[in-house]
Amino acid sequence: MSELQWTDAAAVDDVPADDVIAVLVGGNEVALYSVEGNVYATDNICTHGHARLCEGFLEGHEIECPLHQGKFDVRSGKPTCAPVTEAIRSYPVKIEGGRVFLSLG
Ligand code: FES
């Protein structure tokens, strides 16, 4: 098994509690979510259309797309509400020294 490569994405303090922000990591926009003290990461662009999830509404572990109100579980990227049917890519997260690291694979 190969070791995961970790990329520094943000300071933990940059991600407001129970909210979502977008960061640029390796040329891609990634959404970072803070839910109940944990940080999760997915691609920022909805799989249904060209909408930025960082402009959506985070409720619990679900992010609602601002365009057609589709929803994803931010832990897995799985769709939880129509019209989205395709999962969004999610990334492993680790917190170290007050920083958020992502494994972009
Ligand atoms: Fe996200 Fe349509 S663009 S639900």
Side-chain angles (χ1 to χ4, degrees), residues 46-51 53 65-72 83-84:
C46 185
T47 54
H48 181 249
H50 202 81
L53 296 177
C65 177
L67 201 51
H68 310 111
Q69 288 71 51
K71 292 183 191 172
F72 301 93
V84 294

Side-chain angles (χ1 to χ4, degrees), residues 21-99:
I21 62 164
V23 290
L24 257 188
V25 191
N28 290 322
E29 267 203 17
V30 174
L32 298 179
Y33 312 88
S34 170
V35 185
E36 294 167 2
N38 292 312
V39 176
Y40 303 95
T42 71
D43 276 341
N44 192 35
I45 305 300
C46 185
T47 54
H48 181 249
H50 202 81
R52 299 171 81 224
L53 296 177
C54 65
E55 291 163 6
F57 176 64
L58 182 66
E59 185 169 30
H61 289 102
E62 279 186 326
I63 181 73
E64 182 184 82
C65 177
L67 201 51
H68 310 111
Q69 288 71 51
K71 292 183 191 172
F72 301 93
D73 188 316
V74 301
R75 294 168 292 191
S76 61
K78 292 210 171 99
T80 58
C81 179
V84 294
T85 53
E86 198 183 320
I88 198 157
R89 190 156 173 212
S90 66
Y91 300 96
V93 172
K94 98 175 162 182
I95 307 291
E96 214 169 81
R99 306 288 305 178

